[in-house]
Amino acid sequence: MIEDGARRGLGWGEAWRIARRDLNGRFKGLRLLLVCIFLGTAALAAIGTLTASIERELQSSGRVLLGGDLEVEVWQRDLSEDELDALSEYGRVSGGYRMQAMATTPDAAAPVELKAVDENWPLFGTFTLADGTAPGAPTANDAYLAQGALDRLDIQVGDEFRVGTTTLNAAGVIETEPDRLSEGFQLGPTVLVAQEVPGAAGLIQPGSLYQSKYRVAFAEDTRDPEGVEEALTEAFPTAGFDFRTRDRASPGADRFVGRMSDFLTLVGLAALVIAGIGIAGGVSSYLDQRRASIATLKVLGASSRDIVRIYALQIAAAALLGSALGLTAGVLVTPLLGAALQGLLPVESGFVIEPAPLLLAGAYGLLVAFAFAAAPLLRARAFPAMALMRSRIVPLARDRRALAATGAGLAAICALALFTTGQTLLTAGFLAGAGAALVALAGLGLALQYAARKLPRPSNPLLRSALANIHRPGAPTSALVTALGFGLAAFVLLAAVQSAIGGNIESRVPREAPDYFVIDVPPERETEFRELVTEPFPDAQINAVPTLRGAILAYGPEGDMQRVADLEEIPEGAWVLNGERGITYADAPPTGSRVVEGTWWNPLHEGEGLVSIDREFADAVGLEVGDMLTVGILGSERDVRIANLREIDWETMGFNFTLVFSRNAISDAPHKLAATIELPAAADTEARAQLLRDLVQAFPSSSVVEVGEVLVQARTLLEQVGLATLAAAAVAVLAGIAVLMGAIAAARAARTYDTVVLRVMGASRRQILGLQLAEYSLIAAALALVALALGSGLAWVIITQLFEFDWLPDWGVVLAVLGLGLATVLAFAIGGSLPLLRAKPAQALREL
């Protein structure tokens, strides 16, 4: 059949029959390719399926998540009749309030998130209780509580508790709150009440910190929310409205999902690049094992095209199986990832099939298999049988067509990545970096061979032989350097990302902080407040500051100011322009701030209003000392001049305000005080609890936040991010380990001849193992710094550009993990050398 086929060439059917007979049912020899494709494809499939599912849920359920088609939010006031009438023209309206409050019983007190809603709530979705009922909005003095509130107050359904000056009845336990995700981070469990309750409880007073939220369900489903937002802004330019639409019901969730998707995609691509190196080594090793079969087929008349078809079909079968298994694993693991995110993001329960990300993951897997398998496959096709027979002694030369095929495959991978990414520049940078790393490692391999050739010959015979193995003809040094470099870089990536997140947890979530934040303390009762705290705790430290809410409406040089409403988009870094912010006034620079330009005003300053602003904000919008701001406070506009710029230490747990005004600028506006209380470390638990109850009793309209609970929540969230990144980066490490194993396995085949010759010449097993250990130690030592630079560079991109965290890795941990990677390399080298010791010289020499 071969002779007939040689004249006309084998068809694909005939080539498949030969390939199937030659292919071991357990894919012996191609397992490394299969494992590498499986890891990369599974990672991308799981990542793509999860993020696509979340994004689809955010888009399709935007109305439910937001609670309407459009949300209008203002601080410290309700909507006016004109504003409410204008909103009502577009459809059915549901309004209410959000605020911090204290829920109390005779024996307990707990900070809660008070959510007051009207009878139209919810406009979309269904509100349900733990008993399965759907009662709708609460009425009268009934309240629905999250389970955490019941636990903190130690009460049951049917019991009474107080909020402010009003007694409420615990009417049920919240099970499903349809608009929960859009409410954002909470400082306490939810208590849902009727819209009239906060006013009756004395919680809504001039200067109190609360939000008024109004949602509208459009009468016309086709109406554009963005158009309504523009119309309302134009009609009420000084109202200080914050808007959200059904298309961006939860901007924080959208941003988190987008950033995590980009991070995980980069990790998946890194795993695939690392796996590609393993594929190249695995295919080279497999074809080397099949060298005699290829030569025999050529002797029997098979053409080079026939050889390519036969072994391309075998490799394609392994790649398809690895991709199919990877896609299956990605789908199967998605429910586990969804369960971990339940309650944080809208994730469908059960198995989710998202065709687009699965097709993309499969395409990546097959393209990587083609790109990295092409070179060793095409190199074998172009040489006569005698060259193949002698390839272990006289290495095969490079094939330019093989390099071209590899280049075409890599170009297709880059094009696919750039076409499907949400951050083109970031992905392009990663791909350019990966390409530069490949070139650098290839160059390092050549440099290492050159250095080994030029170095003086060591007197130790083992070191002399190890050095010769690095630069001898046919030495796989370049392939080993590339594979080991990426494999070790994966270890560094894991350690740097994880330790940097840990460093951010330590720096951003301080272990020492005030014991309590108190909101809405009446200014006229500040002395009484201080006495209430210092009577049981004379050494307590209290810091009280005025708090208001205001929005920047215009900024710039006097006479040439830019209206914020006229901006097409907010400048990068100018987050202060997004709606209302907390503001204050002070006679001296706040603790944690340092004036870096301009001067602070005199405490007795009179005349035009002055303001001190954050220098980073000033740089973002081009403001200078002497420029003007127009600020909206409770619906009125105030013009102030910039007196100085400050550097703010945002990591302190004190009061940090971007805008600090002179007293004469805003002190006449209704406002309350916010205070921090730091108790002595020796204060016992019962005394602290009694102080909390006394504060609530004396100041029922104020809210007390236990900082310890907030820090626990913040630390938990950051630790969850760290755990997610650890799990994702572990995929790259697994791919790196597979590459290490494959590189050593591929080199082992080339070492068989050397080992047999050495044994014939009398070398002991111990000497042979020592030779292998010395060779890999030299290569690994040369790669340590390169791997450190590669892994930490990618980790820096992930931490600073994607997560926007500070770059705070623990270099001790990073170096320790790199040392572990080096030890892994040496362990694999020894393990890979053991089969060489079992090779029988006579049999091995006959096979050469």
Side-chain angles (χ1 to χ4, degrees):
M1 183 180 69
I2 292 290
E3 291 181 358
D4 294 337
R7 298 188 188 97
R8 56 181 172 80
L10 294 176
W12 285 106
E14 294 170 322
W16 171 242
R17 281 197 296 272
I18 296 174
R20 187 179 57 195
R21 291 170 186 167
D22 190 50
L23 186 63
N24 188 290
R26 292 172 295 176
F27 288 92
K28 184 177 181 181
L30 289 174
R31 291 174 187 165
L32 177 62
L33 180 148
L34 198 151
V35 168
C36 289
I37 292 294
F38 168 80
L39 286 173
T41 305
L44 288 175
I47 292 164
T49 299
L50 181 65
T51 54
S53 174
I54 294 174
E55 288 170 354
R56 180 165 51 80
E57 190 70 14
L58 285 172
Q59 292 175 1
S60 63
S61 304
R63 285 177 165 177
V64 176
L65 297 176
L66 180 65
D69 291 298
L70 179 74
E71 177 184 88
V72 179
E73 174 188 310
V74 293
W75 279 87
Q76 294 185 284
R77 69 179 184 89
D78 204 347
L79 293 187
S80 67
E81 289 188 10
D82 290 342
E83 292 168 341
L84 188 56
D85 289 342
L87 193 62
S88 300
E89 291 179 3
Y90 297 102
R92 195 158 60 101
V93 176
S94 173
Y97 310 109
R98 310 291 186 271
M99 65 190 69
Q100 289 297 127
M102 292 297 297
T104 63
T105 66
D107 302 316
V112 296
E113 184 84 9
L114 194 66
K115 179 175 179 176
V117 297
D118 64 13
E119 65 278 2
N120 291 333
W121 184 89
L123 293 175
F124 296 97
T126 304
F127 169 65
T128 61
L129 299 177
D131 60 8
T133 60
T139 58
N141 284 351
D142 285 344
Y144 302 126
L145 292 79
Q147 184 62 52
L150 291 169
D151 295 340
R152 293 288 301 275
L153 295 173
D154 193 23
I155 60 175
Q156 305 293 326
V157 174
D159 293 343
E160 292 185 340
F161 66 99
R162 291 180 66 83
V163 170
T165 59
T166 296
T167 300
L168 301 173
N169 173 55
V173 180
I174 297 172
E175 175 69 20
T176 303
E177 189 181 350
D179 55 354
R180 169 82 286 275
L181 185 64
S182 67
E183 300 290 356
F185 185 76
Q186 289 184 268
L187 297 179
T190 299
V191 173
L192 190 67
V193 297
Q195 186 177 16
E196 300 78 18
V197 168
L203 301 179
I204 294 182
Q205 301 176 8
S208 296
L209 286 178
Y210 67 93
Q211 296 169 283
S212 295
K213 287 190 176 184
Y214 284 81
R215 282 90 176 255
V216 57
F218 291 156
E220 302 173 6
D221 291 341
T222 58
R223 186 178 291 278
D224 178 23
E226 303 287 346
V228 176
E229 177 180 339
E230 293 177 3
L232 290 173
T233 302
E234 184 177 350
F236 304 98
T238 65
F241 290 152
D242 286 334
F243 294 98
R244 273 195 288 176
T245 68
R246 64 192 180 210
D247 299 324
R248 44 187 174 89
S250 183
D254 288 340
R255 185 171 180 271
F256 176 77
V257 171
R259 290 301 172 91
M260 283 300 294
S261 175
D262 289 330
F263 159 67
L264 295 174
T265 300
L266 284 186
V267 169
L269 288 175
L272 275 177
V273 169
I274 296 171
I277 306 300
I279 289 168
V283 172
S284 295
S285 177
Y286 175 70
L287 292 177
D288 187 72
Q289 295 172 21
R290 312 306 297 167
R291 176 179 51 86
S293 299
I294 295 173
T296 300
L297 288 170
K298 285 201 167 189
V299 169
L300 293 175
S303 66
S304 296
R305 178 179 295 179
D306 297 334
I307 298 299
V308 170
R309 286 190 174 186
I310 291 169
Y311 288 96
L313 286 170
Q314 292 184 356
I315 294 168
L320 285 171
L321 179 61
S323 296
L325 292 175
L327 294 177
T328 303
V331 171
L332 292 177
V333 79
T334 302
L336 300 178
L337 299 175
L341 294 173
Q342 200 72 40
L344 297 176
L345 293 170
V347 185
E348 295 182 32
S349 59
F351 297 107
V352 179
I353 304 295
E354 293 284 349
L358 294 179
L359 289 174
L360 182 62
Y364 272 126
L366 296 179
L367 279 175
V368 167
F370 166 77
F372 288 93
L377 180 62
L378 294 178
R379 193 165 60 243
R381 72 185 283 276
F383 295 93
M386 187 55 66
L388 287 166
M389 292 290 189
R390 293 168 49 83
S391 63
R392 287 193 179 176
I393 302 172
V394 181
L396 298 174
R398 296 186 180 276
D399 185 350
R400 292 183 178 178
R401 284 174 295 181
L403 296 178
T406 299
L410 292 176
I413 293 171
C414 294
L416 184 63
L418 292 173
F419 181 74
T420 56
T421 185
Q423 291 201 32
T424 305
L425 291 178
L426 182 65
T427 303
F430 169 78
L431 293 172
L438 281 171
V439 172
L441 287 172
L444 179 62
L446 295 175
L448 194 59
Q449 287 180 299
Y450 178 81
R453 193 160 42 245
K454 295 298 183 181
L455 284 174
R457 292 163 59 87
S459 58
N460 186 297
L462 285 180
L463 285 177
R464 187 166 61 250
S465 298
L467 205 60
N469 275 346
I470 292 175
H471 68 80
R472 64 177 175 78
T477 304
S478 293
L480 276 175
V481 166
T482 303
L484 298 183
F486 273 104
L488 291 172
F491 282 86
V492 175
L493 169 68
L494 177 68
V497 168
Q498 190 65 16
S499 65
I501 290 177
N504 277 273
I505 292 175
E506 295 300 319
S507 66
R508 296 190 177 203
V509 188
R511 297 187 180 277
E512 295 185 5
D515 294 274
Y516 301 108
F517 273 120
V518 187
I519 304 171
D520 288 343
V521 177
E524 66 275 9
R525 298 182 62 190
E526 180 180 358
T527 301
E528 180 185 350
F529 173 79
R530 291 179 177 273
E531 290 175 352
L532 182 64
V533 176
T534 55
E535 183 176 348
F537 299 103
D539 296 329
Q541 297 183 17
I542 303 171
N543 180 28
V545 298
T547 56
L548 303 88
R549 301 286 298 188
I552 297 177
L553 304 179
Y555 62 90
E558 187 173 8
D560 186 26
M561 299 178 67
Q562 170 67 56
R563 298 290 297 184
V564 175
D566 296 336
L567 291 172
E568 292 185 3
E569 61 179 2
I570 299 298
E572 184 176 355
W575 52 270
V576 183
L577 300 179
N578 287 317
E580 293 190 334
R581 300 281 146 198
I583 58 176
T584 189
Y585 60 85
D587 296 329
T591 303
S593 293
R594 182 172 66 91
V595 176
V596 294
E597 188 175 340
T599 58
W600 199 264
W601 48 80
N602 188 293
L604 302 178
H605 169 75
E606 296 180 358
E608 69 176 342
L610 302 177
V611 64
S612 172
I613 67 174
D614 176 30
R615 185 175 69 174
E616 292 184 359
F617 166 61
D619 292 340
V621 296
L623 287 173
E624 299 177 352
V625 172
D627 288 343
M628 301 293 292
L629 294 182
T630 298
V631 183
I633 302 176
L634 296 177
S636 64
E637 293 188 10
R638 299 177 184 232
D639 293 325
V640 292
R641 190 175 299 277
I642 299 174
N644 58 73
L645 309 181
R646 288 171 296 123
E647 281 187 350
I648 303 174
D649 182 4
W650 295 103
E651 295 179 0
T652 65
M653 284 297 291
F655 293 106
N656 294 310
F657 292 91
T658 305
L659 305 178
V660 179
F661 294 81
S662 60
R663 181 182 294 269
N664 68 319
I666 61 172
S667 62
D668 60 318
H671 64 276
K672 297 291 181 72
L673 302 179
T676 60
I677 302 174
E678 188 172 347
L679 301 178
D684 62 74
T685 304
E686 179 54 36
R688 290 170 182 264
Q690 185 59 50
L691 173 63
L692 189 60
R693 290 192 290 269
D694 291 344
L695 284 171
V696 174
Q697 183 175 359
F699 296 88
S701 63
S702 301
S703 302
V704 184
V705 178
E706 295 177 278
V707 178
E709 293 293 327
V710 177
L711 294 183
V712 168
Q713 291 183 56
R715 188 177 294 274
T716 300
L717 286 174
L718 286 175
E719 287 175 350
Q720 286 177 334
V721 173
L723 183 61
T725 55
L726 174 64
V731 176
V733 172
L734 290 175
I737 291 174
V739 168
L740 295 179
M741 295 174 64
I744 292 170
R748 183 181 66 201
R751 294 286 189 271
T752 303
Y753 173 76
D754 301 339
T755 303
V756 166
V757 172
L758 289 172
R759 289 186 62 188
V760 170
M761 295 177 65
S764 67
R765 292 172 178 246
R766 181 177 180 182
Q767 288 174 320
I768 291 173
L769 284 177
L771 175 62
Q772 298 294 314
L773 189 61
E775 179 184 352
Y776 280 99
S777 296
L778 290 173
I779 295 176
L783 281 173
L785 290 177
V786 177
L788 182 63
L790 283 178
S792 58
L794 180 55
W796 178 85
V797 171
I798 290 170
I799 292 296
T800 63
Q801 303 304 304
L802 281 181
F803 291 158
E804 297 182 357
F805 288 171
D806 294 329
W807 177 236
L808 299 172
D810 186 332
W811 291 110
V813 172
V814 173
L815 293 175
V817 173
L818 177 59
L820 176 63
L822 293 172
T824 303
V825 169
L826 299 181
F828 284 159
I830 295 174
S833 300
L834 294 178
L836 298 177
L837 304 178
R838 296 193 294 269
K840 297 180 180 180
Q843 179 181 353
L845 290 172
R846 280 196 303 269
E847 292 177 352
L848 292 174

